[in-house]
Amino acid sequence: MRTLLLLSLMMIGAVFTADLPTWPTDFRWSSAGRVPGYDCIIILELADPHTWSDNYLCWRSGKTNPGIRWQSWGPISGMRCIRILETADPHTWSDNYLCEPNNSPYKFSWSSAGAIAGKSCLQWHEFADPHTWDDNYLCANSQLQQREAVFPEDFWFHSAGVLSGYDCLRILELADPHTWNDNYFCWRQEVRDPGMRWSMAGPISGMRCTRILETADPHTWSDNYLCVPYGSPYRFSWSSAGPISGKSCLRWYESADPNTWHDNYLCSKREAVFPEDFWFSSAGIPSSYDCIRILETADPHTWNDNYFCWKQVVSNPGIKWSSAGPISGMRCTRILETADPHTWNDNYLCVPHSSKLSFYWSSAGQIRGRRCLQWRETADPHTWSDNFLCV
């Protein structure tokens, strides 16, 4: 029985891997059959005579199936559903629902009167239907605009149900009688879904897993794992005896469990998130940061105390500075202020080829659509007031 329950719970969470289709760029709507190169679900209202038999919501082939389902007779039990309603259409649209898994990252919204401000939307247009199907939109927060979750600031362990404003992963050990049925590991809804999964039956194949073990608890905790995609920025460590020195930690506390669940911590020295974890300082090294010096020896305007820094709680991103051209074997971005005469044309900021950071430089303000950090040297008169490093 326990094996069957384990398999069932693992299947519920199985949709979340690192390669879900991105909203809205990997999705398409079609009112004329399936789209080549895409996987689709049919959007069908049998009572509507206006060619709804060939309407599809599709996502790019090769991506992980997002688990989206359609039902024309009410919401699907156990899923998060939104009603797809066109009030001007008389053909029983009041009971049509689009559903996604409860821990899906999309969190869809529907509008039958134009796109929803502040969200990314995909138009559902059925040309053959005369009942105002020209202004209907499926919307969601754009995953392209969502930032990476910062650990531990954006996370929470909660031993009394799902938290409002958070998406959560259930942390369950069926053999433990001490109210583990309502324990959740959560992250803020405004961040990208980190793709984590929980297993009560050993590590999950194809993922990077951390054993969650309380040796004082006799209820089969030896095979419990928290797993992340291999590409995840989170490299977790676990401690059942207090926080780990030198790492950022989040307490996992179940007050109802007598087996020493008061000193358990999930910890990580995570990858740095840009720009939240970075700082440009024109006045020395700031407290609690590690830095590289940004120096152009030919420039007399106090560049000897300028530093590009990242928080000490994150992993060293391997960034290097060169004032003599790009560094061999690294991926480099030229840092150039054309108005500055002091040989800035050969200055480069470099990252390892394996780095997820892809920098762009602007000496004329922030780059639209990118996330930027200002590099400002107030003592330099050569327009160092509008320079930005972006990703």
Side-chain angles (χ1 to χ4, degrees), residues 152-225:
E153 293 89 332
D154 289 321
F155 292 84
W156 195 305
F157 180 81
H158 199 235
S159 61
V162 175
L163 279 168
S164 176
Y166 285 75
D167 292 325
C168 301
L169 177 70
R170 193 179 188 189
I171 306 301
L172 177 63
E173 172 46 69
L174 287 170
D176 198 318
H178 298 109
T179 74
W180 277 91
N181 59 307
D182 61 351
N183 286 255
Y184 291 86
F185 182 41
C186 305
W187 51 90
R188 297 183 194 276
Q189 288 181 343
E190 66 262 26
V191 302
R192 280 198 295 272
D193 189 292
M196 296 179 191
R197 290 173 59 192
W198 174 255
S199 169
M200 296 179 287
I204 298 172
S205 177
M207 303 190 80
R208 189 171 67 238
C209 300
T210 302
R211 187 160 68 153
I212 307 301
L213 174 64
E214 173 49 73
T215 54
D217 196 319
H219 300 105
T220 71
W221 277 91
S222 59
D223 59 351
N224 287 262
Y225 286 81

Side-chain angles (χ1 to χ4, degrees), residues 324-341:
I327 298 172
S328 177
M330 302 190 78
R331 190 173 69 245
C332 300
T333 303
R334 187 160 69 154
I335 307 301
L336 174 65
E337 173 48 75
T338 54
D340 196 319

Side-chain angles (χ1 to χ4, degrees), residues 4 30 39 42 49 102 133 154 167 181 202 219 248 263 266 321:
L4 290 173
S30 171
D39 298 322
I42 191 168
N102 283 319
W133 277 92
D154 289 321
D167 292 325
N181 59 307
H219 300 105
S248 295
D263 59 351
L266 183 69
W321 174 257

Side-chain angles (χ1 to χ4, degrees), residues 164-375:
S164 176
Y166 285 75
D167 292 325
C168 301
L169 177 70
R170 193 179 188 189
I171 306 301
L172 177 63
E173 172 46 69
L174 287 170
D176 198 318
H178 298 109
T179 74
W180 277 91
N181 59 307
D182 61 351
N183 286 255
Y184 291 86
F185 182 41
C186 305
W187 51 90
R188 297 183 194 276
Q189 288 181 343
E190 66 262 26
V191 302
R192 280 198 295 272
D193 189 292
M196 296 179 191
R197 290 173 59 192
W198 174 255
S199 169
M200 296 179 287
I204 298 172
S205 177
M207 303 190 80
R208 189 171 67 238
C209 300
T210 302
R211 187 160 68 153
I212 307 301
L213 174 64
E214 173 49 73
T215 54
D217 196 319
H219 300 105
T220 71
W221 277 91
S222 59
D223 59 351
N224 287 262
Y225 286 81
L226 181 69
C227 300
V228 297
Y230 275 118
S232 170
Y234 312 107
R235 295 185 176 274
F236 291 126
S237 304
W238 176 256
S239 168
S240 60
I244 300 172
S245 177
K247 296 192 175 188
S248 295
C249 298
L250 180 70
R251 190 185 189 193
W252 283 32
Y253 180 46
E254 174 46 82
S255 57
D257 196 320
N259 297 298
T260 73
W261 276 93
H262 61 284
D263 59 351
N264 290 261
Y265 287 83
L266 183 69
C267 304
S268 177
K269 199 160 189 178
R270 57 177 172 77
E271 291 183 19
V273 176
F274 189 91
E276 288 89 344
D277 291 323
F278 290 84
W279 190 324
F280 181 80
S281 171
S282 61
I285 297 175
S287 176
S288 301
Y289 282 78
D290 293 324
C291 306
I292 57 167
R293 194 178 188 189
I294 305 299
L295 178 62
E296 173 45 72
T297 54
D299 197 317
H301 297 108
T302 72
W303 277 90
N304 59 309
D305 61 350
N306 285 255
Y307 290 86
F308 181 44
C309 307
W310 51 90
K311 292 179 181 177
Q312 289 178 346
V313 296
V314 303
S315 301
N316 188 323
I319 299 170
K320 293 185 178 181
W321 174 257
S322 170
S323 58
I327 298 172
S328 177
M330 302 190 78
R331 190 173 69 245
C332 300
T333 303
R334 187 160 69 154
I335 307 301
L336 174 65
E337 173 48 75
T338 54
D340 196 319
H342 299 105
T343 70
W344 275 90
N345 60 314
D346 60 350
N347 287 263
Y348 285 82
L349 187 71
C350 301
V351 298
H353 280 296
S354 60
S355 174
K356 294 181 180 178
L357 295 167
S358 295
F359 289 129
Y360 298 82
W361 177 256
S362 169
S363 59
Q366 299 189 52
I367 301 173
R368 187 175 181 181
R370 297 192 179 277
R371 297 167 62 80
C372 300
L373 179 71
Q374 188 173 21
W375 283 31

